[in-house]
Amino acid sequence: MNIGAGPGVAVREFPLKTGFADYLLYADGRVIGVVEAKPEGHTLKGVELQSSKYLSGLPVGLPRWTPDGTALPFAYESTGTVTQFTSNLDPEPRSREVFAFHRPEELIRLAGLERQLRANLRQMPALDTSKLWEKQVAAIQNLEKSLANDHARSLIQMVMGAGKTFTACNIAYRLIKFGGAKRVLFLVDRNNLGKQTLNEFQQFASPYNQYKFTEEFGVQHLRKNAIDPAAKVVNESQIRLVLRTFKERLPEIFPGRTECPKTLVFAKTDLHADDVTRIIREEFGKGNDFCQKITSKSTGKKPEELLNEFRNSYMPRVAVTVDMIATGTDVNPPPTPSLREGAPGRATGGGGRQLVDLIALVNLRIFCRGCHCCTPTNCAKPTSRQERRETRRRA
């Protein structure tokens, strides 16, 4: 039995202390749940006790996602046409029907959460009512109370002009920001309402940090049955993996170099840039001067000054910006995809040679460029503009 044959492996008729599980589920080489299979037409509510016995019957010593002596996180009961799922990590585990089995990556993500969605919904922070009408406050608070009580469905009725879309923006924001919701669907029955809703989300400013909704989270106007990869949530562990790999590969890419080359990192949003900046400093074990965020929201110094320091000073070695540095002073997102496509050329400092291949993960993109303070073997002191021109001519 090769439990490492793929990210997810299902083992049939696995012997447990409490009987034989129809399927024992492995994710990334560790046991994460069980499946109890029944013939089509069989009712599933009475099967939950059987599958719950298997959760705590795993032999000691098997690699697992929970400590020995504790129950496994997840259980499924399925007839092939109907499937229900129970998360043992919820405050009060309760089965629910699902369209399909979760992917192994999603089970791993759920198992790694500090708190599950249903637990977060019971500990939502107080609502900021400063920009809300009384009816909007009542709607949001009553909905969150209903969700905290584990009610799967709720209905809000508001008259025309009461600010239903603005209320929905507040609800969606709080569910994602504080509840840990991965995705929220806003469904309309007419195309013009979809455009109005998108505009409302784009204009919505958080009462907690003044960021626009679209600066913190991806918002997509769905025109087909597919989600834009750019709209998906980026996992911090994935960002760390990319940056750690980038750091480890630097000696291979630049043999003999002892300093990190001048590097641009393009994030999706300003908030995303905050996370990337923090993780870079942690992974490289460096201070604030090593990696700087350069966006339109940077304070203390103008973005133009920070860009000038990045070009002409020894520090910072890494600059994190939002989506694209299109020109010498432009730190706003580019208006057209062509600016993004031209990034590798600009990342070479005008020399026409791309020194490092593009590393891509959703919206995290990294470029290294040869510049006046990065020689092929080590890092020298800054030189004058005239000397840099001469160096480029010789190259």
Side-chain angles (χ1 to χ4, degrees):
M1 182 176 64
N2 182 11
I3 60 174
V9 174
V11 182
R12 293 183 61 182
E13 296 296 328
F14 195 96
L16 301 171
K17 295 178 180 178
T18 50
F20 285 81
D22 288 336
Y23 295 92
L24 190 70
L25 301 179
Y26 281 83
D28 198 21
R30 290 188 279 171
V31 181
I32 201 165
V34 297
V35 178
E36 180 61 26
K38 294 298 179 184
E40 187 173 348
H42 198 290
T43 56
L44 294 178
K45 291 302 178 186
V47 185
E48 295 160 355
L49 288 176
Q50 184 178 357
S51 56
S52 65
K53 288 194 306 180
Y54 299 149
L55 291 176
S56 56
L58 196 69
V60 175
L62 282 181
R64 54 190 293 167
W65 280 92
T66 51
D68 283 337
T70 60
L72 293 174
F74 309 119
Y76 293 91
E77 298 87 31
S78 180
T79 64
T81 55
V82 179
T83 301
Q84 64 180 31
F85 168 75
T86 303
S87 172
N88 200 47
L89 303 177
D90 286 338
E92 295 182 22
R94 187 175 72 188
S95 65
R96 58 186 175 90
E97 285 195 17
V98 291
F99 293 107
F101 289 91
H102 298 84
R103 294 180 62 84
E105 296 84 357
E106 176 63 9
L107 293 178
I108 292 172
R109 185 190 73 84
L110 292 173
L113 292 176
E114 184 177 343
R115 280 192 321 200
Q116 300 297 306
L117 172 65
R118 295 182 187 278
N120 290 334
L121 293 174
R122 297 184 175 192
Q123 302 181 42
M124 297 286 278
L127 177 66
D128 187 322
T129 62
S130 58
K131 297 182 180 180
L132 295 171
W133 297 338
E134 182 179 346
K135 297 298 182 183
Q136 294 170 339
V137 172
I140 296 170
Q141 290 180 337
N142 286 335
L143 174 63
E144 291 185 355
K145 181 179 179 181
S146 176
L147 293 173
N149 290 331
D150 222 358
H151 296 157
R153 299 185 179 188
S154 299
L155 174 66
I156 296 176
Q157 290 180 303
M158 300 175 72
V159 299
M160 182 183 298
K164 294 184 290 294
T165 306
F166 182 69
T167 301
C169 287
N170 278 274
I171 292 169
Y173 181 85
R174 285 174 59 82
L175 285 176
I176 298 172
K177 180 77 172 179
F178 305 117
K182 187 177 179 182
R183 194 172 293 128
V184 175
L185 174 66
F186 191 111
L187 188 64
V188 298
D189 59 356
R190 294 191 297 278
N191 287 336
N192 65 316
L193 292 180
K195 295 176 182 178
Q196 292 174 18
T197 301
L198 176 63
N199 183 66
E200 190 79 45
F201 273 88
Q202 290 171 333
Q203 297 302 316
F204 179 85
S206 166
Y208 306 96
N209 55 25
Q210 299 308 309
Y211 278 110
K212 297 289 188 183
F213 198 113
T214 51
E215 290 177 324
E216 288 197 67
F217 310 109
V219 176
Q220 181 187 357
H221 186 187
L222 290 170
R223 294 179 174 85
K224 54 184 180 180
N225 61 342
I227 296 175
D228 185 347
K232 295 182 179 179
V233 177
V234 178
N235 192 313
E236 182 173 312
S237 63
Q238 293 177 318
I239 299 176
R240 286 191 182 277
L241 176 61
V242 169
L243 293 172
R244 192 171 298 152
T245 303
F246 171 70
K247 177 187 175 185
E248 293 171 352
R249 290 288 302 280
L250 282 177
E252 179 183 336
I253 300 169
F254 298 98
R257 172 169 287 179
T258 59
E259 291 285 348
C260 175
K262 287 284 185 173
T263 304
L264 296 176
V265 180
F266 305 130
K268 176 62 177 176
T269 65
D270 194 87
L271 199 69
H272 184 209
D274 272 358
D275 292 335
V276 172
T277 301
R278 170 179 55 82
I279 295 171
I280 288 175
R281 292 170 180 171
E282 292 172 356
E283 289 298 321
F284 279 83
K286 300 292 185 179
N288 294 347
D289 58 343
F290 175 80
C291 178
Q292 288 289 323
K293 186 184 81 168
I294 306 177
T295 73
S296 56
K297 292 187 179 294
S298 298
T299 59
K301 289 184 180 180
K302 294 181 179 179
E304 293 87 348
E305 296 178 59
L306 295 172
L307 282 171
N308 190 56
E309 288 181 0
F310 178 65
R311 286 196 197 89
N312 302 309
S313 301
Y314 177 77
M315 291 289 189
R317 306 305 299 169
V318 182
V320 180
T321 188
V322 173
D323 206 75
M324 187 65 249
I325 297 180
T327 67
T329 58
D330 181 12
V331 292
N332 290 314
T336 63
S338 61
L339 290 178
R340 298 200 262 292
E341 293 166 2
R346 281 188 291 277
T348 61
R353 293 183 299 118
Q354 186 176 344
L355 301 182
V356 176
D357 289 334
L358 172 67
I359 299 176
L361 174 66
V362 188
N363 294 301
L364 177 63
R365 290 166 289 173
I366 303 173
F367 293 98
C368 287
R369 64 185 179 95
C371 64
H372 61 279
C373 53
C374 290
T375 68
T377 57
N378 211 325
C379 192
K381 294 181 179 179
T383 58
S384 68
R385 182 171 297 179
Q386 180 62 35
E387 289 174 313
R388 296 200 297 275
R389 288 200 191 100
E390 292 297 327
T391 300
R392 287 198 290 269
R393 288 195 192 101
R394 289 194 295 270

